[in-house]
C-alpha cells in the first residue's frame, strides 16, 4: 500500500511570534522550523506501517525551498521519498488543491495530514482533500488499524471517542494519540545519511486562487499585572473572582 | 440571501454553543440586512432558539440521524444552505462542527475561516479577525468568495437574548448509505467537557502523582468545571490524553481557568491563552505561569486547593 503524509513546515513550538512588513507578514528571522507536530504523529504511524504493511511512505509539502530541510528530516525519520510543490502557501484551500493534484496522480490508500498546523491553525487541509477526492475522512484521529482493505479508526470527540470503520482509501487528520509522544522517531546517523540519497522531487504548482487572504496580523495586547493573593487569605481570591472578575 | 447557522444538538437539546452562534448570527445578519436561519437536526426543544434572534428554523427529524455522521450531516446542511441562498454559513468550534466545516466548504465552493473571535471588522469587503499561531497572535482575513463559512471560537461572543417570532419549516432529504460506519461511541457521561466548560480546573506535575487527582476533581465539582491537565501529566499516563490542554492538546477558551502545579511552558500557555480569567496556584514564585495569570497564589497545592474547595462550597451555599 502507498501512504501520503502531508507535511507542514512550522515555527518551533517555543518560538516567539513577531510580524514584519507593517504587520503584513510573519517575521521568520531567528525562527527554528520543525515538522508540524500533528503531522509528525501521522508520519510516525506511517513509518511503522512500512514494517507491518509493507507500505511505501511518501511525504509532500507545499512550500518554498526553505521547507526542504523539514522534508529531509521526514526522509531521515523513515519516509521513502518526498515531494515539494514549489509555492508560497497562501491559504488552506490552495494548499489542499496542490496536494489533491498529487493524490490524483498517485493512488494512495491512506492520506494523512495533521488535524491542524500549529502556525495558521486552519484545520481544513485533510477535510478538503477528502471531499475533493471523494474519500472518507476521519478527523482528530487517535487510533488506526488497517487490515487488508479495511480501516478501523478512532475519532476524538468532545468528551470521548468514536470508533468508525471504512474501506480504503481513507483520509485521516492525525494528532497525538495516533502514536504517543515517546514513539516519535529521532533520526539516527544512518537515517540522516540515507535521507541524502532519497528522492526529493520538486513540482511546479497548478494555478489555484486562494479563497481567503490574511491581510494583517496583530499580537495580543499586553496583559495587566497579576494580582498575588496570600495563601492564607483564600477568601480574598473568592471575593475577587466573584466581584471583580465576575466569573463565579 | 441569508445568514445560516448550524445549531448543534446533543440528546435532543441545543448545545450551549448553539445559542452563542445564534446571537453572533443575529448581529451579523443585522449588519448585512439579511435574515437569520437556523438548521437543527433531531431536537425536541427547537423552539428555544427563537430567544436568540433566529427568524426561521429549519428542522430535520430522522431516526437515522440520531448519531452524528459526517457524510449525511454535511449533505443535509449543504443542501439546505444552497436552497436558502446562503451568504454566510456559521458553525461552532465543537469537534463535530469543525469536522463538518472543511467538507461543507467544498460542497458549497465557499471560503472557510476557522477560530473567528469577533464580528467582522468590515462586511464589504468581508474581513474577519481570527486567532492563529495557537493563540499567540491574531490575523485579519479577507473573504472574497460569494459564499463564506465561518467557525466561531466557543465562548468568544456569548449568548445574547433577543426573542422574536420564529417561522418553522420541516425538511427531509434522502440519506446515503454510510460507507463510514460508526461502530461504537464511548462518551463520559455526567461530566462537563473541556470544549463546553465555563470553568476548567487543570493539574500539572506539581500534584506529584495520579493518586492526588481528587484535589483537582473536588475543586472542579464545586465549580461545575471540566478537569484538564498539562502535557507531561498526560505523557506520563497520569491522566487520559483527552484531558491534555495546550499546543498539541486541546485548546481551552473558558471564562475561568485554574492551573494547579503547572509551571506554564510556552506551549501550555498557547493552548489556554484565550481563557478569560486565569488563576495560578504554584509553590514556586518564579513559575513563568504567574506572568500570564490574572490572579496568583504562591503556596503548597496540597494545602491551598482543599482550603479553596471548602471556602467555595461555603460561598456557593
Amino acid at each position: 500500500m502507498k501512504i501520503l503524509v502531508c507535511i507542514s513546515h512550522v515555527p518551533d513550538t517555543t518560538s516567539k511570534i513577531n510580524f514584519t512588513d507593517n504587520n503584513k507578514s510573519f517575521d521568520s528571522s531567528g525562527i527554528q522550523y520543525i515538522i508540524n507536530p500533528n503531522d509528525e504523529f501521522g508520519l510516525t504511524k506511517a513509518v511503522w506501517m512500512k514494517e507491518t504493511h509493507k507500505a511505501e511512505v511518501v511525504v509532500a509539502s507545499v512550500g518554498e525551498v526553505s521547507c526542504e530541510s523539514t522534508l529531509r528530516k521526514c526522509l531521515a525519520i523513515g519516509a521513502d521519498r518526498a515531494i515539494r510543490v514549489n509555492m508560497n502557501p497562501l491559504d488552506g484551500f490552495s494548499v489542499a488543491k496542490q496536494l489533491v493534484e498529487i493524490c490524483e496522480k498517485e493512488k494512495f490508500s491512506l492520506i494523512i495530514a495533521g488535524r491542524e498546523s500549529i502556525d495558521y491553525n486552519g484545520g481544513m487541509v485533510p477535510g478538503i482533500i477528502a471531499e475533493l477526492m471523494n474519500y472518507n475522512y476521519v478527523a482528530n484521529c487517535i487510533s488506526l488499524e488497517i487490515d487488508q482493505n479495511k480501516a478501523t479508526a478512532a475519532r476524538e470527540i468532545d468528551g470521548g471517542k468514536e470508533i468508525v470503520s471504512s474501506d480504503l482509501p481513507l483520509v485521516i487528520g492525525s494528532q497525538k494519540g495516533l502514536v504517543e509522544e515517546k514513539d516519535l522517531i529521532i533520526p539516527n546517523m544512518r537515517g540522516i545519511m540515507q535521507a541524502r540519497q532519497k528522492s526529493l522531487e520538486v513540482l511546479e504548482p497548478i494555478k489555484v486562487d486562494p479563497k481567503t487572504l490574511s491581510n494583517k496580523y496583530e499580537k495580543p495586547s499586553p496583559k495587566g499585572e497579576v494580582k498575588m493573593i496570600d495563601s492564607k487569605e483564600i477568601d480574598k481570591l473568592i471575593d475577587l473572582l466573584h466581584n471583580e472578575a465576575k466569573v463565579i | 440571501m441569508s445568514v445560516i447557522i448550524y445549531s448543534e444538538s446533543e440528546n435532543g437539546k441545543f448545545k450551549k454553543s448553539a445559542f452563542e452562534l445564534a446571537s453572533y448570527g443575529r448581529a451579523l445578519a443585522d449588519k448585512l440586512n439579511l435574515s437569520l436561519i437556523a438548521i437543527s437536526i433531531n431536537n425536541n426543544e427547537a423552539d428555544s432558539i427563537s430567544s436568540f434572534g433566529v427568524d426561521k428554523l429549519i428542522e430535520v427529524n430522522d431516526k437515522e440521524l440520531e448519531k452524528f455522521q459526517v457524510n449525511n450531516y454535511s449533505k443535509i446542511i449543504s443542501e439546505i444552505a444552497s436552497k436558502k441562498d446562503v451568504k454566510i454559513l456559521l458553525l461552532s468550534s465543537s469537534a463535530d462542527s469543525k469536522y463538518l466545516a472543511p467538507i461543507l466548504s467544498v460542497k458549497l465552493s465557499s471560503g472557510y475561516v476557522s477560530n473567528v473571535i469577533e464580528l467582522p471588522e468590515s462586511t464589504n469587503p468581508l474581513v474577519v479577525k481570527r486567532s492563529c499561531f495557537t493563540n499567540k497572535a491574531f490575523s485579519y482575513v479577507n473573504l472574497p468568495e460569494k459564499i463564506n463559512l465561518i467557525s466561531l471560537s466557543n465562548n468568544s461572543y456569548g449568548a445574547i437574548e433577543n426573542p422574536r417570532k420564529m417561522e418553522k419549516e420541516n425538511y427531509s432529504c434522502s440519506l446515503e448509505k454510510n460507507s463510514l460506519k460508526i461502530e461504537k461511541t464511548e462518551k463520559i457521561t455526567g461530566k462537563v467537557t473541556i470544549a463546553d466548560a465555563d470553568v476548567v480546573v487543570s493539574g500539572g506535575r506539581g500534584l506529584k502523582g495520579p493518586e492526588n487527582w481528587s484535589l483537582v476533581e473536588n475543586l472542579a465539582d464545586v465549580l461545575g468545571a471540566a478537569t484538564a491537565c498539562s502535557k507531561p501529566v498526560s505523557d506520563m499516563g497520569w491522566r487520559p490524553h483527552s484531558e491534555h490542554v495546550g499546543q498539541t492538546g486541546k485548546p481551552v477558551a473558558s471564562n475561568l481557568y485554574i492551573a494547579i502545579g503547572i509551571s506554564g511552558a510556552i506551549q501550555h500557555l498557547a493552548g489556554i491563552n484565550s481563557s478569560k480569567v486565569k488563576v495560578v496556584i504554584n509553590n514556586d514564585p518564579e513559575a513563568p505561569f504567574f506572568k500570564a495569570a490574572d490572579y496568583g497564589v504562591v503556596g503548597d497545592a496540597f494545602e491551598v486547593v482543599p482550603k479553596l474547595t471548602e471556602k467555595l462550597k461555603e460561598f456557593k451555599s
Side-chain angles (χ1 to χ4, degrees):
Chain A
M1 71 184 293
K2 220 154 85 169
I3 304 173
L4 175 69
V5 188
C6 307
I7 300 293
S8 192
H9 168 75
V10 299
D12 177 37
T13 54
T14 56
S15 306
K16 291 246 184 316
I17 304 299
N18 288 302
F19 300 99
T20 165
D21 182 23
N22 237 337
N23 284 331
K24 284 201 173 90
S25 41
F26 175 66
D27 183 0
S28 60
S29 57
I31 296 281
Q32 285 267 13
Y33 281 85
I34 56 166
I35 305 171
N36 178 41
N38 290 313
D39 303 343
E40 195 175 354
F41 293 119
L43 174 63
T44 307
K45 181 78 186 180
V47 168
W48 287 356
M49 289 172 70
K50 284 175 57 165
E51 288 263 318
T52 54
H53 294 73
K54 296 193 171 56
E56 182 196 3
V57 178
V58 181
V59 287
S61 190
V62 176
E64 288 169 334
V65 70
S66 57
C67 80
E68 288 192 1
S69 58
T70 294
L71 284 173
R72 285 281 173 213
K73 188 176 173 201
C74 297
L75 294 172
I77 285 171
D80 296 300
R81 59 191 169 90
I83 301 170
R84 176 172 74 83
V85 181
N86 186 26
M87 184 185 95
N88 177 20
L90 288 174
D91 78 334
F93 175 77
S94 54
V95 166
K97 280 287 269 190
Q98 302 298 338
L99 294 166
V100 162
E101 192 68 11
I102 297 171
C103 297
E104 276 172 350
K105 257 184 255 158
E106 307 200 24
K107 296 287 171 226
F108 296 104
S109 306
L110 178 65
I111 299 166
I112 303 175
R115 69 154 193 219
E116 67 172 18
S117 67
I118 61 162
D119 50 3
Y120 295 97
N121 312 118
M124 64 183 87
V125 169
I128 292 178
I129 294 175
E131 186 62 19
L132 288 172
M133 294 300 293
N134 201 16
Y135 291 170
N136 277 335
Y137 169 45
V138 179
N140 297 7
C141 185
I142 50 171
S143 88
L144 177 70
E145 279 167 40
I146 289 178
D147 186 14
Q148 308 290 341
N149 193 38
K150 196 121 193 123
T152 307
R155 173 173 78 97
E156 190 171 74
I157 55 176
D158 295 330
K161 62 179 179 183
E162 180 186 86
I163 316 292
V164 297
S165 64
S166 166
D167 287 343
L168 299 179
L170 180 71
V171 181
I172 64 164
S174 54
Q175 65 166 61
K176 191 173 139 183
L178 187 60
V179 304
E180 301 305 326
E181 192 90 15
K182 63 173 169 33
D183 298 326
L184 297 178
I185 301 163
I186 298 160
N188 55 25
M189 193 42 83
R190 193 163 151 257
I192 295 166
M193 297 304 282
Q194 281 175 344
R196 293 187 190 163
Q197 310 299 321
K198 290 176 180 172
S199 150
L200 196 164
E201 188 185 358
V202 180
L203 300 177
E204 285 311 311
I206 54 160
K207 168 113 183 56
V208 183
D209 288 327
K211 285 180 185 279
T212 61
L213 305 152
S214 288
N215 291 339
K216 60 175 178 197
Y217 296 91
E218 188 178 281
K219 296 216 287 178
S221 42
K223 238 188 56 39
E225 274 290 283
V226 55
K227 275 194 187 160
M228 297 306 291
I229 293 122
D230 194 302
S231 64
K232 291 182 187 67
E233 296 176 321
I234 289 300
D235 283 318
K236 209 171 137 194
L237 176 63
I238 294 172
D239 179 63
L240 286 166
L241 290 177
H242 181 63
N243 291 315
E244 187 179 78
K246 298 189 180 2
V247 286
I248 59 168
Chain B
M1 280 200 293
S2 50
V3 173
I4 300 184
I5 62 169
Y6 165 53
S7 30
E8 219 178 300
S9 307
E10 191 166 25
N11 304 323
K13 288 181 188 164
F14 285 120
K15 288 180 133 185
K16 200 184 74 182
S17 59
F19 300 132
E20 178 177 35
L21 201 62
S23 307
Y24 181 91
R26 178 72 265 157
L28 184 59
D30 285 343
K31 265 179 181 273
L32 296 164
N33 222 352
L34 298 173
S35 67
L36 177 65
I37 299 175
I39 301 173
S40 153
I41 301 175
N42 285 7
N43 191 307
N44 310 320
E45 301 174 356
D47 286 349
S48 56
I49 202 139
S50 67
S51 308
F52 297 89
V54 173
D55 296 307
K56 184 175 199 164
L57 173 72
I58 298 181
E59 287 186 279
V60 181
N61 287 301
D62 192 326
K63 269 218 166 73
E64 296 288 309
L65 296 171
E66 215 146 300
K67 270 195 182 147
F68 172 85
Q69 8 165 322
V70 74
N71 296 345
N72 276 319
Y73 273 50
S74 60
K75 179 173 184 269
I76 291 169
I77 296 167
S78 65
E79 265 183 31
I80 297 175
S82 302
K83 280 196 177 135
K84 298 293 170 189
D85 196 11
V86 65
K87 184 161 169 68
I88 296 176
L89 177 61
L90 297 171
L91 280 96
S92 82
S93 288
S94 72
D96 290 350
S97 284
K98 282 196 128 174
Y99 190 8
L100 288 168
I103 295 171
L104 287 168
S105 78
V106 174
K107 288 193 194 292
L108 295 167
S109 304
S110 74
Y112 167 45
V113 59
S114 59
N115 304 339
V116 171
I117 53 166
E118 47 188 60
L119 282 171
E121 188 191 43
S122 85
T123 51
N124 190 21
L126 185 59
V127 179
V128 293
K129 184 178 179 181
R130 69 184 293 266
S131 69
C132 58
F133 292 94
T134 327
N135 293 315
K136 288 183 204 165
F138 304 108
S139 68
Y140 290 85
V141 181
N142 197 328
L143 301 169
E145 295 294 313
K146 281 199 190 77
I147 301 174
N148 287 293
L149 202 161
I150 293 175
S151 292
L152 181 68
S153 274
N154 288 351
N155 262 333
S156 60
Y157 190 75
I160 300 161
E161 293 216 19
N162 186 348
R164 59 182 59 211
K165 203 170 167 317
M166 181 175 74
E167 267 183 70
K168 289 210 288 188
E169 186 181 318
N170 279 308
Y171 185 85
S172 59
C173 85
S174 59
L175 300 180
E176 279 170 15
K177 188 171 166 347
N178 228 337
S179 55
L180 184 68
K181 201 166 150 249
I182 299 168
E183 304 286 352
K184 198 164 69 175
T185 308
E186 294 168 18
K187 212 164 178 177
I188 310 153
T189 47
K191 217 172 161 236
V192 198
T193 65
I194 292 169
D196 290 330
D198 286 327
V199 182
V200 173
V201 181
S202 190
R205 250 185 307 195
L207 286 166
K208 298 200 168 79
E211 66 280 7
N212 298 324
W213 234 256
S214 56
L215 232 57
V216 173
E217 279 160 351
N218 292 345
L219 178 57
D221 278 347
V222 179
L223 290 163
T227 55
C229 70
S230 67
K231 181 167 172 291
V233 164
S234 91
D235 284 347
M236 289 184 292
W238 293 4
R239 300 297 296 172
H241 288 310
S242 52
E243 288 198 2
H244 163 203
V245 297
Q247 198 156 25
T248 51
K250 281 204 172 65
V252 180
S254 56
N255 288 331
L256 174 60
Y257 182 78
I258 303 179
I260 305 164
I262 301 177
S263 62
I266 190 165
Q267 296 94 330
H268 185 82
L269 298 181
I272 60 99
N273 236 341
S274 43
S275 284
K276 295 198 178 75
V277 176
K278 283 150 258 178
V279 176
V280 170
I281 301 167
N282 204 300
N283 61 2
D284 173 12
E286 300 298 318
F289 212 150
F290 283 117
K291 288 204 179 74
D294 298 284
Y295 303 103
V297 181
V298 177
D300 183 352
F302 294 90
E303 286 168 24
V304 175
V305 178
K307 211 156 77 183
L308 177 61
T309 307
E310 274 316 303
K311 298 268 184 194
L312 274 167
K313 261 189 206 155
E314 287 169 29
F315 169 80
K316 291 270 177 185
S317 61

